[in-house]
Amino acid sequence: MIDVAVLGATGYTALELIKILLRHPEANVVVATSRQDGQPPISTVHPSLVNRLDIPLEDLDPQQVAARAQCVFSCLPHTASASIVPSLLEAGATVIDFSADYRLDDAATYLEWYGLEHCDASRLGQVAYGLPELFRPLVAQAKLVANPGCYSTSAILPLAPLAKAGLIELDDIIVDSKSGVSGAGRSPKLMTHFPECNESLSAYNVGRHRHTPEIEQIIARHAGARPEVIFTPQLAPMDRGILSTIYARPTRPVTEAEVAAVLREAYRGERFVRIVDHLPATKDTVDTNFCDITVRIVRGRILLISCLDNLVKGAAGAAVQNFNCVFGLPETTGLL
Amino acid sequence: MIDVAVLGATGYTALELIKILLRHPEANVVVATSRQDGQPPISTVHPSLVNRLDIPLEDLDPQQVAARAQCVFSCLPHTASASIVPSLLEAGATVIDFSADYRLDDAATYLEWYGLEHCDASRLGQVAYGLPELFRPLVAQAKLVANPGCYSTSAILPLAPLAKAGLIELDDIIVDSKSGVSGAGRSPKLMTHFPECNESLSAYNVGRHRHTPEIEQIIARHAGARPEVIFTPQLAPMDRGILSTIYARPTRPVTEAEVAAVLREAYRGERFVRIVDHLPATKDTVDTNFCDITVRIVRGRILLISCLDNLVKGAAGAAVQNFNCVFGLPETTGLL
Amino acid sequence: MIDVAVLGATGYTALELIKILLRHPEANVVVATSRQDGQPPISTVHPSLVNRLDIPLEDLDPQQVAARAQCVFSCLPHTASASIVPSLLEAGATVIDFSADYRLDDAATYLEWYGLEHCDASRLGQVAYGLPELFRPLVAQAKLVANPGCYSTSAILPLAPLAKAGLIELDDIIVDSKSGVSGAGRSPKLMTHFPECNESLSAYNVGRHRHTPEIEQIIARHAGARPEVIFTPQLAPMDRGILSTIYARPTRPVTEAEVAAVLREAYRGERFVRIVDHLPATKDTVDTNFCDITVRIVRGRILLISCLDNLVKGAAGAAVQNFNCVFGLPETTGLL
Amino acid sequence: MIDVAVLGATGYTALELIKILLRHPEANVVVATSRQDGQPPISTVHPSLVNRLDIPLEDLDPQQVAARAQCVFSCLPHTASASIVPSLLEAGATVIDFSADYRLDDAATYLEWYGLEHCDASRLGQVAYGLPELFRPLVAQAKLVANPGCYSTSAILPLAPLAKAGLIELDDIIVDSKSGVSGAGRSPKLMTHFPECNESLSAYNVGRHRHTPEIEQIIARHAGARPEVIFTPQLAPMDRGILSTIYARPTRPVTEAEVAAVLREAYRGERFVRIVDHLPATKDTVDTNFCDITVRIVRGRILLISCLDNLVKGAAGAAVQNFNCVFGLPETTGLL
């Protein structure tokens, strides 16, 4: 049994993580942190946890956390995470970080997209990117795992094998993504106020969403050269789910069967990536750790359609998969 | 053409009001107020109004408003409204007030339910309650109309004629209401954050919602005695619409046909109240000024099911109906 | 490991059941039946099951089913279930029946509410009603369990202890329930066509919904006398969840604390019934086997507000709880 | 006053049309057809029309219709429309056809995409395409108008001016569209059954949706050469609204301001096309006849984001706009 801590436990990814961990036979949630007055039970913030998890929300420092938990899941926002992770690692904890702080390889890109100097820059470039399907050996021996962005996973899983196989032009990749609203977090804002976003669709952060460099970086590792990705995030009136429709120009004429075969081969034996023939719906993957992918060729262009649950394979499920990988457990533990 | 002003123009009821007034052949929206820096065009706050209404949001005092508009629709919150209405009236404007400030007949009840001393108490008891179906003569000659609460209308329209006819026991009335989220206003709050209230139902303010005394007061006027109403508001995952399911004990055995006949007679010639035989859905009334009502007898109890659009018949549509009534226009002008 | 069969495997309750059973350490889904041509894999009907359950949909007779499975979950509609259950029992299988066929105690009531002669009437009155919280000893030794109706559970759990304690008048009980659309099944109909029921609320089957006699029968067992329940089902625009708002007249003046204490005592040690102080939202219980209940006293009336997931505690979760109970497993197995 | 008929009056576009026409000061809905037994009032099929339109659903032949109405709106499906339109025209009626039957210029393309020989092929190529913003002179003198497809309008309005200006490569146009469910019509199907499509997103008819040739044909008219459009329709969990995200490669480096200026110039004076600077949401246009369009340049590519209400500017509103144009009325009559 591995004692684990959840930092920043009041948000949606933390709640999803806790629900998965409560089913996990080898994990024991012993610490949940948040800056709340008076250490209220976590169920006051998450009423669905009544009778399921009976621990308080505490405001602890890294040493206190590391003293009580072997593995720390940080659901803190970016910069907050990087300011605490070094201490956690130093104190001997394994860290799985949900924030963007350790996903990028260099501080310059971080500065460009996040507008901030990275406070733990020396570690960048040495952190395992938490997609076991692509980086299992690195994840398996990591002390710090950067859990991928939700959109990023939906784009990288279909694109990486094709980029590696040299099947797609790197300067002509369009990722048109639509996400449920939980991806925007739990802080009330006008954009996510029910009567604003319900029964509506809109694009946001067009051309400047921060998952763009993350997608490009991981594709680059597989392609050997930096791609240029046009990424358009859009908000859809539903709680969960990401549908990414990806348009890539093939380097030579290809058939659907051929592209599908490359993907099937790349993910042979992978339990959580399903290459399907039908057009998948986000609902097929909701509340699961699966990412469903299909291929179509339209007027010579490769269309990749992927879907996943942004809170599971896009966040908490991936984190538990990484946890399993790091701690030598069967990777599906708690996730099927 | 009547020049009108909309105070507190950034919320949902104000937007709905403006949309209706833009179609109204006799009204001209010349003023919209809000405390914003720099008098931005109203379309910056309501992008649906681009190319439709090109006036700024201004921060005006009552005299300035009354100088430019014959009729003032106040969409300000309670207490804010009562602090400005006397000046508007004094300056000669007709006022239709969306807030609760002038709905109750006495300051004691106001204090009990709103927790505040009323700042214009002397006027209470003399203000027209804006349901022309029940109080047309009073509304027609009013300088100040208290626009009813959205839940209140859904409860009062079915109950008032039965109370007046002595058909229902006044101490055994249950109003179980469900409302769309726009009823909670446009200020972001956790309760109305999309991932919180989407795909969910919950009750709130049970036994202490402020529309309770309003319902009781108007029923009392028809019954001649004060009823006791159990009112349970509930939040439903939709933008608009109220469904009220009302349980009343008859004073003697009655049939559906008999109760329906009382309602049909009470609303004969009323264009906006439809007594129907089928079970109405809120969607039948969305974007309209109609209130649909049906009757069932179940195990000897009278069930009244009513529905309406909380932003139209429950707010902005009713306000325009009152406006028409006050200014001697056909009551359906702009509303069909 | 217990081999189980799922009859009528194409609907929503069957899918939910299969998902729960896939996590259950002691159950093995070996048979799924449906009248489909050519034994397609179950994942062609339920794409979310790709890579998770790889068995065909078969059209089997009871003997064939019983030969391969110790426990049979019948998700067949009423009458279809009763026509097959006797053969299953005879062949030695344990049966957990989701239909209404074995819930009522007598054939006359069945005829009255279902309009049909019961084809296995002799068994009525001897079947365990599958609410372990109320009938655990009977369920534990049953060969046939009648899984409760979804609305029924939401009404019975809060009412039964109060009826038993003599705290409520049996002739003045109102159950105002709102359900998500999955409760209406998977066959496309106009009423459940997305643009009809989305963004809308409506009542249906007022005064004649078939869960009424079921609720009355179980309350009667606790009260010692037959109650009269006014039950109003309503359709809400969401996938899952039931919110029941229940109005009961106390037999003597009571306080909230007193009523809550009766409920807490009744469900002491019960893992799946949570008596809470806050107003619960259906979302607190979605995807769980919990039923959340709270109490309020309003103008002397007892208000009970309960919520649950109609597909879990209202169907598939309850079935697995019954399965656990029958097979002597810890009752929470696979359900937390 | 112009007497009009609505053929196929039971669907969503017909209902929307009727609601708009009821507000139209110059139109009088005198005929509504449908194959129903016994000429039921139209409000039995559309309960929202109770007290608003009191005519029966009749099963009439074209001569009967033309004898009673000057203008006929045909909401019949494709092929059904073409089989009746010639008789209507011959009988002297003006026809505005919602189906796809008269949108394409040649029978070969119709055969290719609809799989059917066109039964009125000689008329193809001579029918006005009902986008007054682009074809006003043709529409103004038409006896038959082909009302555009909903997706088509959302793609054509942003693309046509750029194609005409030679600003975009014609072989590299991607239209990624997301539509509300009302676009799929009113016949219940599994795909549009609430629990299937609610809280879900999915693509359908990828690479073979029938609006593709329509978009290409109209762009071709403006570009002088046939484009190749990759069109991906997707179903979003909402009643109404289309968001089209369009990716086009410029023929030379361009700025956002430059592209926006071309669009603003093309639609100068057009009341229903709004070129906006912000990222529009479908909700900004719901229940209106507006199409909102914005431009972004991302990594050198032109992104056009358009939105409209599929039932209004995408169907019934456009039809009334065409009606106004044909009958010489101000084009905004009944539409603001």
Side-chain angles (χ1 to χ4, degrees), chain D residues 16-134:
Chain D
E16 192 69 22
L17 174 66
I18 289 167
K19 287 181 177 177
I20 295 171
L21 291 173
L22 287 175
R23 277 195 192 124
H24 195 291
E26 303 294 336
N28 196 17
V29 183
V30 296
V31 170
T33 77
S34 173
R35 288 198 185 128
Q36 307 267 332
D37 287 336
Q39 306 202 349
I42 192 167
S43 62
T44 56
V45 168
H46 297 301
S48 62
L49 295 182
V50 170
N51 272 20
R52 297 168 77 185
L53 181 64
D54 192 23
I55 60 173
L57 290 169
E58 302 176 83
D59 185 5
L60 303 178
D61 64 35
Q63 286 70 29
Q64 292 171 308
V65 171
R68 284 157 58 185
Q70 283 173 264
C71 182
V72 178
F73 293 91
S74 171
C75 301
L76 298 172
H78 70 90
T79 75
S81 230
S83 74
I84 197 179
V85 162
S87 310
L88 289 166
L89 292 171
E90 206 169 303
T94 295
V95 179
I96 295 172
D97 182 24
F98 284 65
S99 88
D101 279 346
Y102 294 98
R103 293 180 195 155
L104 297 177
D105 280 350
D106 63 292
T109 308
Y110 187 85
L111 176 63
E112 180 188 346
W113 287 85
Y114 289 83
L116 295 160
E117 296 289 343
H118 200 290
C119 64
D120 186 27
S122 66
R123 218 178 298 267
L124 298 188
Q126 308 166 45
V127 181
Y129 189 78
L131 272 180
E133 289 85 355
L134 300 179

Side-chain angles (χ1 to χ4, degrees), chain A residues 49-72:
Chain A
L49 296 182
V50 170
N51 272 20
R52 297 168 78 186
L53 182 64
D54 192 24
I55 60 173
L57 290 169
E58 302 176 83
D59 185 6
L60 302 178
D61 65 34
Q63 286 69 30
Q64 291 171 309
V65 171
R68 284 157 59 182
Q70 283 173 264
C71 182
V72 179

